[in-house]
Amino acid sequence: RYKTEEYSTDATNKFNIYPEQIPHWLMDWIPEEGGYLIGNLQPAHMDFRFFTLGNLWSIVSSLGTPKQNEAILNLIEAKWDDIVGSMPLKICYPALENEEWRIITGSDPKNTPWSYHNGGSWPTLLWQFTLACIKMNRTDLAKKAVDSA
């Protein structure tokens, strides 16, 4: 076990993430050659869902290293049906559902699973995806997404 609540560049567990916090779906979902930047809601409280907008802009703005940026595009390619789907692109994956949806959204009918803010398709992300692909010299992925749209 790591020490709890370590905050420094020398911390062993810089993000205070513990195995019990990692959702089970993630272990089966994430590919070996892919990765992404997760959301930090507060210290030691991560949102492990894939957020398309933030990950695309981490590539475009050079926030990620080239290796991290490539891993994000590899993940999108490997999980194409989940993230891109028939109408590019989903804002996040997976959607909040069942009890988690009720607790976090307060049963908000505007944010039912797979609706606009909760895993819905945002076609406007297509140009940002294309920009990230151009930057990383992966125009084949951008063309595939544009063709599906």
Side-chain angles (χ1 to χ4, degrees):
R1 300 288 302 186
Y2 297 113
K3 295 178 185 175
T4 59
E5 307 302 319
E6 290 185 288
Y7 299 99
S8 78
T9 55
D10 299 335
T12 304
N13 186 4
K14 288 181 181 145
F15 302 106
N16 292 305
I17 298 174
Y18 301 95
E20 298 82 14
Q21 295 171 305
I22 301 171
H24 294 288
W25 65 264
L26 184 59
M27 302 315 291
D28 295 328
W29 186 74
I30 195 161
E32 290 290 325
E33 298 297 320
Y36 63 102
L37 302 176
I38 62 174
N40 185 352
L41 303 175
Q42 60 187 343
H45 189 110
M46 304 296 177
D47 189 334
F48 288 92
R49 293 177 295 156
F50 176 82
F51 287 89
T52 307
L53 183 62
N55 277 276
L56 292 178
W57 277 100
S58 72
I59 295 171
V60 173
S61 67
S62 301
L63 176 66
T65 65
K67 184 177 178 181
Q68 290 169 329
N69 295 342
E70 191 63 39
I72 292 167
L73 292 180
N74 287 345
L75 174 103
I76 292 172
E77 183 176 32
K79 296 299 178 179
W80 191 266
D81 290 341
D82 294 336
I83 298 170
V84 180
S86 326
M87 175 52 74
L89 290 136
K90 290 182 180 60
I91 189 64
C92 65
Y93 183 89
L96 296 173
E97 296 183 286
N98 305 315
E99 192 63 23
E100 188 178 33
W101 169 76
R102 283 187 280 287
I103 290 168
I104 292 175
T105 72
S107 299
D108 183 353
K110 296 183 305 300
N111 287 311
T112 57
W114 305 109
S115 64
Y116 188 67
H117 286 110
N118 190 6
S121 293
W122 287 32
T124 188
L125 292 173
L126 192 53
W127 75 265
Q128 294 156 91
F129 178 63
T130 301
L131 185 58
C133 289
I134 290 169
K135 181 171 182 176
M136 295 302 297
N137 201 24
R138 297 286 304 272
T139 55
D140 57 311
L141 290 179
K143 181 173 179 2
K144 183 178 175 183
V146 169
D147 289 349
S148 72

